[in-house]
Amino acid sequence: RKAQHFFNDNFVMRDPNAPDGVRYYQGKILIRTRKPQDDMNVLIKFCPDPQALFIDTPFGRQLNPVAIVTTEALSEAEADRIERDPDKVDLVIRFKDTQAILGLAGRPNADVAQLLIENLVQITGNFGHMFKFGAIGKNVQAAVKEFL
């Protein structure tokens, strides 16, 4: 029940123009570094295949957790190819290097504006997805804290 509630709060959007009045958040976020030798390119897709979000089980129709978020490691060439294609990526978060990413572990309440000012991160694309990504991350933190 908690998983369904979390899913509904983070990924379900009421839309009177969508079939059944519901659509799902389908953001595509590419995380990279500016140092090509880091070879750090991860594509995160939320609800990439809405048809796969639910499966029939002996207990009834259930949420399919493996269909909610997918990640894919990309080569530098693959990431370069899709980075500016709005059909492939909604938002690109480009860190200075892997050290900048690891440094976030020591800054649990990092401010995006401060990261931008310090030139540790660049963000391009549809910035609305940054807010959604941040909200999902904050809700994941709250859910994990509940179990600790």
Side-chain angles (χ1 to χ4, degrees), residues 98-110:
T98 54
Q99 286 306 110
I101 295 170
L102 295 172
L104 288 177
R107 295 169 74 168
N109 296 316

Side-chain angles (χ1 to χ4, degrees), residues 57-77:
T57 71
F59 306 106
R61 193 161 167 80
Q62 301 286 321
L63 190 58
N64 181 4
V66 299
I68 298 170
V69 179
T70 63
T71 59
E72 180 182 359
L74 304 174
S75 69
E76 289 293 325

Side-chain angles (χ1 to χ4, degrees), residues 37-84:
Q37 58 269 37
D38 283 344
D39 198 25
M40 167 60 193
N41 306 287
V42 178
L43 180 60
I44 302 168
K45 294 181 184 179
F46 295 97
C47 304
D49 180 6
Q51 305 300 337
L53 287 172
F54 296 92
I55 53 175
D56 293 319
T57 71
F59 306 106
R61 193 161 167 80
Q62 301 286 321
L63 190 58
N64 181 4
V66 299
I68 298 170
V69 179
T70 63
T71 59
E72 180 182 359
L74 304 174
S75 69
E76 289 293 325
E78 290 170 313
D80 287 343
R81 191 177 67 250
I82 69 166
E83 182 172 353
R84 289 185 172 48

